[in-house]
Amino acid sequence: RDYHLHIETFHESPIISVYGGKITTCRLLATDVADEIERLLGAKGAAWTHQTPLPGGEIVERNFFEFIGDMSAYYHWLPVEILTRMAKAYGARVMTILGGATQHEQLGRDFGGGLYQAEVDYLVREEWARTADDILWRRTKLGLHVTPDTVAALKRYLGEV
């Protein structure tokens, strides 16, 4: 699944549309888009992203399994399946979501399927999620597993109904 960049320059500001692509080539795609922007604007900056971790990727001097072990010890009350899902999605930012919580109740409302209010609020605040579909399909993929009751409760919480 390759990608194609379509550039329109007949507007005052150029528009770059991206067609296709996949998550495993997102950095290459981003570099190509940045190169096109630089070409169109005539500016050139030094490349820096190849050495910069993605958001949440700041798991310094540990591998993912050690990170899960550390998180499981700290958040021992949270099922390891939920913690692992969250760590895979958010990396080190899982600590921003869970904070200093010491029990389920401190994560706010339990929507079901391992989705808590703390995660929903984080997605709205930090990742611009606006709808239940944004959260359940675009960001977490929990839409594959949650019940209709979870979807309805999340839509009510987000003011969609």
Side-chain angles (χ1 to χ4, degrees):
R1 295 183 313 181
D2 204 8
Y3 60 88
H4 172 74
L5 302 181
H6 177 75
I7 300 154
E8 294 181 35
T9 57
F10 58 85
H11 297 283
E12 186 176 308
S13 297
I15 297 173
I16 300 175
S17 300
V18 178
Y19 297 96
K22 56 185 179 179
I23 194 71
T24 57
T25 60
C26 68
R27 279 193 181 221
L28 178 60
L29 187 152
T31 299
D32 287 349
V33 170
D35 289 346
E36 282 299 324
I37 291 169
E38 288 175 337
R39 184 183 66 75
L40 292 165
L41 296 178
K44 180 68 177 167
W48 56 271
T49 61
H50 65 284
Q51 295 178 8
T52 304
L54 293 171
E58 308 87 0
I59 302 172
V60 181
E61 297 181 20
R62 292 183 285 182
N63 67 36
F64 183 75
F65 299 106
E66 290 171 337
F67 177 70
I68 290 295
D70 292 346
M71 293 298 96
S72 293
Y74 190 79
Y75 299 106
H76 57 88
W77 47 270
L78 189 63
V80 70
E81 299 81 21
I82 294 173
L83 188 56
T84 301
R85 175 193 64 80
M86 292 178 76
K88 284 180 179 179
Y90 309 110
R93 290 185 174 191
V94 72
M95 294 178 288
T96 300
I97 297 168
L98 299 175
T102 58
Q103 57 188 346
H104 291 98
E105 294 76 18
Q106 292 173 316
L107 298 179
R109 184 173 181 178
D110 180 355
F111 291 97
L115 181 64
Y116 289 90
Q117 182 179 340
E119 183 175 4
V120 170
D121 291 349
Y122 169 83
L123 290 169
V124 168
R125 183 180 65 251
E126 301 293 332
E127 298 193 13
W128 311 296
R130 295 294 176 254
T131 67
D133 281 350
D134 280 345
I135 291 168
L136 296 174
W137 293 102
R138 182 183 60 84
R139 192 60 187 94
T140 67
K141 304 300 186 254
L142 285 172
L144 294 167
H145 310 288
V146 298
T147 67
D149 288 341
T150 294
V151 176
L154 183 56
K155 284 184 175 189
R156 280 192 302 277
Y157 180 74
L158 295 171
E160 291 184 60
V161 292

